[in-house]
Amino acid sequence: MTGDVKDRALMAEWREILAIHARTACEIDRELHQFGLGASDFEVLDVLAGGDPQDGGCSFRVQELADRVHLSQSALSRLVARLEKEGLVDRGICDEDRRGVRVAITAAGRERYERARPGHLAVLERMLPKDAKALTESELG
């Protein structure tokens, strides 16, 4: 019987996480719409904007990007192609492996990202549970 109670509590906690994610994702999409971005667009720009300057600046191999964002490689490829068409990212051949493709944020991409970032952060501040933020801060600190 104790297992059933623990199982139900665990499932309830999981459903709450899913609900928070869904509500937050909708709010983020609404906020970013005014900048012509969706949540996945912002996530890719966020990763690129936070690139390590010692690793060639704000440039990542597509596979490295796929490991950091929550998209399949094919969905990421389509998204990157669209962002490139909008002038927000550039794609090029990897110097270290001519078969690979690197993606870099452009000046226009960085500018749009910087304009959208405060609203994105405001949504996260408003939507995420306070205890989740405390947990994240303790894990990062």
Side-chain angles (χ1 to χ4, degrees), residues 4 17 35 40 53 57 68 102 114 119 124-125:
D4 288 345
I17 290 169
F35 301 101
S40 294
R68 288 176 168 83
R102 288 193 85 76
E114 292 297 338
L124 295 179
E125 181 68 33

Side-chain angles (χ1 to χ4, degrees), residues 17 20 23 63 126 130:
I17 290 169
I20 290 168
R23 288 189 305 262
Q63 183 57 48
R126 186 175 71 247
K130 301 301 180 223

Side-chain angles (χ1 to χ4, degrees), residues 8-27:
R8 283 196 301 272
L10 186 60
M11 289 306 297
E13 186 176 354
W14 172 242
R15 286 187 187 105
E16 180 60 21
I17 290 169
L18 292 176
I20 290 168
H21 176 270
R23 288 189 305 262
T24 304
C26 287
E27 288 294 316

